[in-house]
Amino acid sequence: MSCNYIYPAKYDNIKIVIEKTFWFTKVINGDHVDLKDDPDYSGRVEYNCTKTFCSLKIFNVSQTDSKEYKFRIITNHPGGKYTGSTGVSLYVRDPQVKVNRLNNPIRIQLTCHTDCQLDPPVSYVWLEDGKANKESNNNLVLSSFNTTHRYQCAIRGHEDVPSPAVYAPQTIALSVTPSETVEGSKVTLTCSSDANPAANYTWYRGKVDKLLESNKNLTFDSIKSMDSGQYYCTAINKMGQNTSRVNVDVKYAPRSPSVSQSPSGDIVVGSSVTLTCSSDANPAANYTWYKEGEKAQKDSGEKFTITNIQNEHSGNYYCKVQNKIGHHNTSVSVTVVAGQPMSTITCRLALLILISMLVLITFRRTLKTMKKNTKLSDPVEMMEMRNAIEITE
C-alpha cells in the first residue's frame, strides 16, 4: 500500500522541512505508534519513501493484520503534523478449520472453509503435522479423540498459505504467584496451554478427585497451611486434553511452642535436668535458650541440658522458636533444692542395717530360751500328777 502527499514550501515565513514519515495503526496516549516500533509488526514491515511518495510492505500477513493503515508526516513547523484523512483498509482471508466433536463413538470432524471468493470447483488439501494427507474434500474425520497431531487445510494450488493448525492442548505451563507462598497472603495459581481451539481449564485438589474451579486461575484470598498440597489443572478442547500438576507449599511462622522438663518437679543440687522445646513451623524453626535476666544465649537446639545443677541455676528459662516468617517464645521455671550429703546417707543406711541385725539376733535368742524352758517344765508336771494320785488312794 502507498501514499502520495504534498506540502507547502513555506508557511508562516518558515521553510517547511519534512522531518519524519511513517505508517501506523495505533494511537496510545495521543502518540501515533510507528509500525516499525509496534511489537505486532516487529521485523515484518518495510518502507520505501522518496520525495512525496511512501509505500508500506507487510511480510507474513495473517488475519490479525486486517486493519486500517494510515500515513503521517511530521515537519519542522510547530503545528506541522499531519495524518491522511483516510487510510488504507486491509482485509486478510485465509482457510480456517472448524472442529466438531462427534459422539457414539467419539470422533473428531474437521471442516475447512474460507471467506475468499473462489471460482468453482474448489479442491482442498489436508496436512497432518505439515505433510499432505490423501483427503481432498473439505471434511476430514479423525477416528480418535485426544490426538497428538496437528491438522491444517489449504486450497489446492495455494498450499503455501495453509490454515492455522488445530491441535489438542500441548504442554501445560503452571505458575504460582507470588512464588513464595506465605500463610494469610493472596495466592493465584495460573494454568496456560498452547492449544487451538483455545482450551478450557479446570482445577482439582489431590488426585483429580475434587473440583475446585473451572477457570484459568485459581485464587486464594487468604491461603492457609492446610491448603498445602498437589493441585492439578486439566486443559481441554474439542481435539483432546492434557493435565499437569503443581505443588503448593504454604510457609508459616512457628506455632505456640510446648516446653517440658525432665525430670519434672524440683531438681536436687548436683543432679541434671533437660529442658525440651518443640513447635510446628514451615520452614523448620531454629531454637535458642535464654535465662530470664541474662542477655547471653544459654544454648541452641530443641534440648537444653544443665549438668551438676547448683542453686544459682534456679529461675525462669525461655525458648525462642524462629524461622524467616516469624518467631514465638515460651518459658519454663526450674527450681533447685538442697540435697543430703552422700556421707550422711551412707551412715544412716549402715545404722539401719545394724539395727535390723540386732533385732534379728535378739529375736532368735528369745526363741531359743522359750523352747528350753518348755522342755524343763515337763518332768515337774508329771511328778505333781503322781503325788496327787497316791494321796487319793
Side-chain angles (χ1 to χ4, degrees), residues 4-11 14-22 49-54 71-77 79-83:
N4 288 289
Y5 58 93
I6 59 173
Y7 63 94
K10 193 174 184 179
Y11 186 76
I14 298 175
K15 183 180 178 180
I16 302 300
V17 177
I18 303 296
E19 294 183 340
K20 184 177 181 179
T21 60
F22 61 94
C49 302
T50 58
K51 296 184 178 180
T52 60
F53 171 85
C54 192
F71 182 73
R72 184 169 176 82
I73 62 174
I74 298 177
T75 72
N76 61 326
H77 192 280
K81 299 179 181 180
Y82 304 97
T83 298

Side-chain angles (χ1 to χ4, degrees), residues 237-250:
N237 65 7
K238 291 181 179 180
M239 296 289 290
Q241 67 181 44
N242 201 347
T243 299
S244 189
R245 67 181 180 178
V246 63
N247 182 63
V248 175
D249 184 22
V250 180

Side-chain angles (χ1 to χ4, degrees), residues 358-371:
L358 291 174
V359 170
L360 180 61
I361 293 171
T362 303
F363 176 74
R364 286 182 175 181
R365 287 181 177 179
T366 302
L367 185 62
K368 281 185 177 181
T369 303
M370 290 178 64
K371 287 183 178 181

Side-chain angles (χ1 to χ4, degrees), residues 15-35:
K15 183 180 178 180
I16 302 300
V17 177
I18 303 296
E19 294 183 340
K20 184 177 181 179
T21 60
F22 61 94
W23 292 83
F24 71 94
T25 61
K26 298 177 182 176
V27 179
I28 300 177
N29 297 326
D31 293 328
H32 300 72
V33 181
D34 188 337
L35 282 184

Side-chain angles (χ1 to χ4, degrees), residues 91-119:
Y91 299 94
V92 181
R93 299 289 183 262
D94 62 358
Q96 295 291 316
V97 177
K98 180 180 179 182
V99 182
N100 186 28
R101 184 173 168 181
L102 306 176
N103 295 314
N104 299 321
I106 296 178
R107 294 172 298 163
I108 301 171
Q109 183 183 51
L110 306 180
T111 302
C112 185
H113 68 94
T114 179
D115 293 331
C116 296
Q117 301 299 317
L118 302 173
D119 296 329

Side-chain angles (χ1 to χ4, degrees), residues 302-327:
E302 294 184 49
K303 294 182 182 293
F304 169 41
T305 300
I306 307 174
T307 58
N308 190 25
I309 200 165
Q310 301 299 317
N311 289 325
E312 59 266 23
H313 289 129
S314 288
N316 291 325
Y317 292 82
Y318 68 92
C319 168
K320 183 177 182 180
V321 189
Q322 184 173 16
N323 63 11
K324 63 181 180 179
I325 310 300
H327 64 87

